[in-house]
Amino acid sequence: LVAKGSELGFDQFIIKEAPATFAQVSYKGVVKVEETEKAYILNGEKFKYVFGKKEGMWLALEKDGDELLESPMEYNIFRAPTDNDRNIIREWKRFDYEHICVKVTGIECKNDRDAVSIKAKLRLAPMSQTVLLQLDSEWIVYPDGTVDCKIDGKKNTECVFLPRFGIKMEMPKAFSKVRYYGYGPFESYIDKHHASYLQCFESSVTALHEDYIKPQENGSHYGCRYVEVSDGTKTVRFDGESPFGFNASYYTIEELKTKKHNYELCEADYLTLCVDYKQSGVGSNSCGPELLPQYRMNDEEFCWKFRMSFV
């Protein structure tokens, strides 16, 4: 431990350690699969996961008898507009990025001796709009409950660049402790991280919030190797094969989007954790040029690999 946050002017700890690589999974035990009309139900020695066929995503993640999700996990492309999004938000609204629907076009589940693999082909499209993203996802569940994910994506090049692409999960509010290896201790983005540095940090969820007078996207961290959220007993961890971004907040995207002043904000009864393959930069378009192309989430094709583990 190097220094306490109060000594440095922020409520975080800095920890001297290198980022960990993917931990070895345990193949001891088996994963049983029950298929219903609407879902695959995976049971291991200490977990029960439910994967929705219609949603192409996890509906429930129960570990040691405790449910880790307050609602089904979702694919996420939207963010609360920043002041600098004042122009591009018109295009995001025109393509209705805020309201995407998932269409699963194919799904299969295979159970072998060492793990269970669920593969799904999906289309993400705003309601009554053209297909925005085509995704091929694979989720591999090991007997110890670890989950590996690979998502191959192809974007419709006729659509304007995305605010972000990632997953969003709503978790019990008790998961208030955050530990990450990435650019910190201040908020950081692909085009806004020179005031930060790459290190391991510990923080509370509350301390990650940047209190802008006008509520907007805030508190994300760029270039992360891993992030953990914990309630002091249980820990949910994400590791990326390549650096990724995350945001952990008690304020929902909808809350930050709709409220006009910071004193109007109301905390949710749960934690919103966003883990991003990539988020577009914040730029300077409220009074300056539009966001430069290299800082946009506009990848025509991409492959994102990450691991979820539960302790």
Side-chain angles (χ1 to χ4, degrees), residues 13-280:
F13 290 90
I14 305 170
I15 299 170
K16 269 191 173 180
E17 68 172 39
T21 57
F22 280 20
Q24 179 65 39
V25 299
S26 173
Y27 296 102
K28 184 179 179 180
V30 296
V31 182
K32 298 179 181 178
V33 180
E34 176 187 351
E35 182 176 358
T36 68
E37 181 182 352
K38 297 182 178 180
Y40 296 110
I41 303 171
L42 282 62
N43 283 281
E45 183 179 354
K46 296 183 178 181
F47 67 87
K48 178 181 179 181
Y49 304 158
V50 181
F51 192 90
K53 293 180 177 180
K54 179 181 178 181
E55 297 80 5
M57 185 54 85
W58 298 104
L59 306 183
L61 296 172
E62 182 182 308
K63 188 70 187 296
D64 294 323
D66 295 318
E67 178 54 59
L68 302 175
L69 295 180
E70 293 288 313
S71 62
M73 195 182 295
E74 299 178 355
Y75 289 103
N76 185 29
I77 68 166
F78 198 66
R79 72 182 182 197
T82 68
D83 290 334
N84 291 332
D85 292 334
R86 58 183 296 181
N87 294 317
I88 191 61
I89 189 62
R90 301 189 189 106
E91 291 298 298
W92 290 348
K93 287 183 176 180
R94 183 168 72 88
F95 285 100
D96 202 15
Y97 283 178
E98 189 176 358
H99 305 103
I100 61 168
C101 299
V102 176
K103 174 66 174 178
V104 176
T105 59
I107 191 166
E108 65 175 359
C109 180
K110 293 183 177 180
N111 190 359
D112 63 25
R113 184 168 57 89
D114 295 326
V116 171
S117 169
I118 301 176
K119 293 183 179 180
K121 290 183 177 293
L122 314 98
R123 296 174 181 170
L124 302 190
M127 192 173 297
S128 303
Q129 294 274 6
T130 186
V131 173
L132 172 62
L133 284 170
Q134 296 187 57
L135 305 177
D136 288 318
S137 68
E138 180 177 17
W139 302 83
I140 300 175
V141 180
Y142 299 96
D144 65 355
T146 299
V147 182
D148 280 347
C149 179
K150 177 187 176 187
I151 300 174
D152 291 311
K154 182 178 292 187
K155 179 182 174 294
N156 185 339
T157 57
E158 295 181 1
C159 298
V160 70
F161 71 90
L162 306 179
R164 70 193 329 157
F165 176 77
I167 60 171
K168 181 178 70 173
M169 54 194 298
E170 295 172 352
M171 303 177 62
K173 199 169 185 176
F175 283 84
S176 60
K177 305 176 189 299
V178 182
R179 178 185 178 103
Y180 65 96
Y181 190 99
Y183 280 93
F186 315 108
E187 66 175 10
S188 56
Y189 295 82
I190 189 172
D191 64 339
K192 181 189 175 183
H193 59 273
H194 291 297
S196 299
Y197 52 94
L198 195 60
Q199 187 58 276
C200 182
F201 299 93
E202 286 187 354
S203 173
S204 66
V205 171
T206 300
L208 292 176
H209 177 72
E210 294 289 344
D211 191 28
Y212 291 108
I213 295 175
K214 181 183 183 300
Q216 55 195 280
E217 157 64 32
N218 73 86
S220 288
H221 287 275
Y222 166 76
C224 295
R225 276 54 171 178
Y226 70 82
V227 60
E228 298 176 348
V229 292
S230 174
D231 65 356
T233 302
K234 300 178 293 296
T235 298
V236 178
R237 175 173 171 133
F238 285 83
D239 289 88
E241 186 175 88
S242 56
F244 62 94
F246 87 92
N247 173 281
S249 178
Y250 293 135
Y251 301 112
T252 66
I253 294 174
E254 178 67 20
E255 183 73 4
L256 293 170
K257 179 183 77 73
T258 55
K259 297 299 174 65
K260 296 184 181 300
H261 307 94
N262 55 353
Y263 61 80
E264 297 177 289
L265 287 173
C266 295
E267 289 188 359
D269 295 329
Y270 51 84
L271 164 69
T272 297
L273 176 65
C274 297
V275 180
D276 294 319
Y277 159 73
K278 187 176 182 180
Q279 182 175 174
S280 290

